[in-house]
Amino acid sequence: MTEPTHDEAHGGALGSRLNWLRAAVLGANDGIVSTAGIVVGVAGATQSRSALITAGLAGLLAGSMSMAVGEYVSVSAQRDSEKAALALEKRELREQPEAELEELTDLLEGRGLTREVAREAAEQLTARDPLQAHARVELGIDPEELTNPWHAAWASFLAFTVGALLPLLAIVLPPVAWRLPVTVLSVLAALVLTGWASARLGAADPGRAVLRNVVGGALAMGVTYAAGRLLGAAGV
């Protein structure tokens, strides 16, 4: 039974890495779209570089902190649930070892093993580490690799910040006449990349993902620019 256990851990680790990569790509995508919407909207109302920098930095900091706090709270709740489930499983193993062995046998049999093989596998896994066996087979949790809320928070913070820097720099560095074209083209190119990357990581159709990304980003910039133009014309 050594090889199946190793394969399962390896697959779980791979899935975890892919989830982190998808989260990083989506966080960067959020940073690109939200910050682009802010700076393009402000650019529709004023040509002041200081106003653009102020608005862009405010959006970057607010967005990155919001993403970090949101991820920390969400992953902390998940970790608490995992710990509670493991604590309950540990108590059941202590108080009802035979019932838990039968349950593990049923779970393995449900995965396609014969009753005899499932029973033998359950006994061997229980002899090695009963809590880990039940955690992986019954709960889908690796007790040695619980989710870390701080890792999630920092990853979201950095991903959003990196994404947000692109539209911020694109709107403040070029000359006034080139600000909007450079920003729009840079943002759309970045959205093509993040759409393609997220699709590839999720084994989905890149064309649809890229189209959704580009259309959504273009719509966000168009709406905020129109709002900025209207407010600027009204002298607000």
Side-chain angles (χ1 to χ4, degrees), residues 1 101 104-105 108 113-127:
M1 297 305 299
L101 178 61
L104 184 58
T105 301
L108 292 172
L113 300 179
T114 65
R115 184 69 184 179
E116 293 76 14
V117 174
R119 180 71 178 192
E120 180 184 353
E123 289 175 349
Q124 290 189 26
L125 290 171
T126 299

Side-chain angles (χ1 to χ4, degrees), residues 1-233:
M1 297 305 299
T2 302
E3 290 184 2
T5 303
H6 174 74
D7 289 342
E8 182 181 356
H10 184 271
L14 177 60
S16 178
R17 286 195 295 271
L18 290 177
N19 285 336
W20 280 110
L21 286 171
R22 277 193 289 270
V25 169
L26 293 175
N29 193 80
D30 287 344
I32 293 168
V33 174
S34 61
T35 307
I38 291 173
V39 296
V40 167
V42 174
T46 178
Q47 296 182 351
S48 169
R49 189 184 300 268
S50 61
L52 291 170
I53 294 174
T54 300
L57 284 177
L60 184 155
L61 292 173
S64 60
M65 291 300 297
S66 175
M67 289 284 290
V69 171
E71 278 296 306
Y72 181 83
V73 171
S74 175
V75 175
S76 292
Q78 179 184 343
R79 186 182 178 90
D80 290 343
S81 298
E82 292 173 345
K83 285 184 173 181
L86 289 172
L88 176 61
E89 197 63 40
K90 186 182 295 185
R91 188 182 69 192
E92 290 176 344
L93 285 167
R94 183 176 63 252
E95 297 175 355
Q96 308 171 54
E98 288 300 322
E100 289 298 298
L101 178 61
E102 190 68 22
E103 181 182 36
L104 184 58
T105 301
D106 292 339
L107 289 169
L108 292 172
E109 184 181 12
R111 295 190 175 188
L113 300 179
T114 65
R115 184 69 184 179
E116 293 76 14
V117 174
R119 180 71 178 192
E120 180 184 353
E123 289 175 349
Q124 290 189 26
L125 290 171
T126 299
R128 174 184 293 179
D129 189 332
L131 179 59
Q132 187 174 82
H134 280 266
R136 289 184 172 180
V137 177
E138 181 181 348
L139 305 175
I141 299 173
D142 186 344
E144 298 177 356
E145 294 186 11
L146 296 182
T147 52
N148 189 312
W150 285 107
H151 289 171
W154 277 110
S156 296
F157 179 87
L158 292 174
F160 188 97
T161 300
V162 169
L165 283 173
L166 174 68
L168 176 57
L169 295 176
I171 202 74
V172 300
L173 293 181
V176 174
W178 287 94
R179 284 177 182 170
L180 280 177
V182 169
T183 301
V184 170
L185 290 176
S186 299
V187 166
L188 294 181
L191 292 177
V192 168
L193 179 61
T194 56
W196 178 86
S198 63
R200 293 294 295 176
L201 289 170
D205 178 17
R208 292 184 179 181
V210 168
L211 182 62
R212 287 194 299 264
N213 241 20
V214 170
V215 171
L219 183 62
M221 288 187 290
V223 169
T224 55
Y225 180 74
R229 291 287 291 179
L230 290 173
L231 290 173

